[in-house]
Amino acid sequence: MLILIPLDSNKRYEALLTTLDQTKSWALVELDEGEIKHVDFFKRREEINEWIDCVVVQNEQEYVWPFMEENITVLVAPTQRSIDEIVEAFLFKELHDLNV
């Protein structure tokens, strides 16, 4: 499973979730059996050539239609900010689904 997260930097353990219009780096997190297997960073979303299962945004006010048009599930992380916090919330189904 691949999760896309807009971040304020490309530093794995320091980067924090940011709004789509303030994104400095995109993290593509590969999950396998509930564990982070790999994290790749991209400057632009267009550089990613893999199928993305879901994208995590900071709030419901984000412009997410491009993701929905690509059939990518959009999840909101209301309080989680780091990659690890977001993945943990994802695994425990604590993120809000905007596609419903």
Side-chain angles (χ1 to χ4, degrees):
M1 167 166 277
L2 294 175
I3 301 172
L4 185 64
I5 306 172
L7 300 169
D8 63 357
S9 79
N10 63 353
K11 296 180 178 151
R12 165 70 174 91
Y13 295 101
E14 296 173 24
L16 298 175
L17 179 67
T18 188
T19 59
L20 294 174
D21 61 343
Q22 297 292 316
T23 302
K24 299 231 182 339
S25 184
W26 293 91
L28 188 61
V29 180
E30 181 181 354
L31 288 183
D32 186 28
E33 296 183 14
E35 292 184 15
I36 296 175
K37 291 297 180 187
H38 199 273
V39 179
D40 288 317
F41 292 93
F42 299 88
K43 280 187 93 55
R44 298 177 332 124
R45 182 167 106 68
E46 295 77 23
E47 297 173 8
I48 302 168
N49 295 322
E50 300 180 60
W51 174 258
I52 300 166
D53 295 293
C54 68
V55 63
V56 177
V57 296
Q58 195 173 52
N59 61 61
E60 293 92 7
Q61 310 308 314
E62 301 277 358
Y63 182 69
V64 296
W65 284 110
F67 300 108
M68 290 180 166
E69 287 176 347
E70 294 179 40
N71 292 321
I72 298 172
T73 301
V74 178
L75 302 173
V76 177
T79 59
Q80 300 81 3
R81 294 296 173 250
S82 72
I83 292 172
D84 291 322
E85 288 174 340
I86 291 167
V87 169
E88 181 179 336
F90 173 81
L91 293 172
F92 288 104
K93 301 187 185 317
E94 295 173 350
L95 303 177
H96 305 288
D97 190 343
L98 284 184
N99 295 22
V100 196

